[in-house]
Amino acid sequence: QVQMAESGGDSVQAGGSLRLSCIASGFTATRKCMGWFRQAPGKERERVASIYWSVYGVGGITRYADSVKGRFTISQDNARNTAYLQMNSLKPEDTAMYYCAAARADNSNCLDFTYWGQGTQVTVSS
């Protein structure tokens, strides 16, 4: 059984940084996508970043929402089955519940995710 667990959410001031972590327990795949999504009250869920990895030698293909490019960085540690989201230069509009997701993937587009975490709250004050 796959279990996803996020951590690292907090309240920070604008301009600050946070690092979110996500452990995907029980998740194994030769090709996989892990991603971070966020949802603010009254808004639709938004894909923030994703990363694709393959045991066949392809790794670290990342994609970002335009709103976070240059500020957020997604990475993963395959040995620990963990994904990270480093968030710098945070803005009040980054305030949301952040969710981690994972899926076995056929390509690096990372459009569909199967497993989801419960979320971790990020609040950025001005």
Side-chain angles (χ1 to χ4, degrees), residues 22-125:
C22 170
I23 299 175
S25 303
F27 179 60
T28 59
T30 55
R31 293 177 292 186
K32 66 180 179 182
C33 286
M34 295 191 75
W36 287 96
F37 293 74
R38 68 185 181 187
Q39 188 167 20
K43 294 188 177 181
E44 293 187 354
R45 186 175 64 193
E46 173 189 23
R47 186 173 76 167
V48 175
S50 63
I51 185 166
Y52 171 82
W53 175 88
S54 165
V55 72
Y56 304 110
V58 177
I61 297 176
T62 58
R63 299 180 187 274
Y64 296 93
D66 289 342
S67 56
V68 306
K69 282 181 181 177
R71 300 188 298 123
F72 290 11
T73 303
I74 187 171
S75 60
Q76 66 176 8
D77 182 337
N78 284 316
R80 292 181 169 84
N81 231 8
T82 300
Y84 304 97
L85 186 68
Q86 178 66 43
M87 305 186 295
N88 298 328
S89 302
L90 283 162
K91 303 175 181 180
E93 50 263 44
D94 295 319
T95 295
M97 185 70 78
Y98 282 71
Y99 299 90
C100 177
R104 296 174 182 87
D106 293 326
N107 55 62
S108 64
N109 292 331
C110 297
L111 296 178
D112 298 310
F113 287 85
T114 307
Y115 307 104
W116 293 83
Q118 295 298 309
T120 185
Q121 178 68 37
V122 172
T123 302
V124 184
S125 58

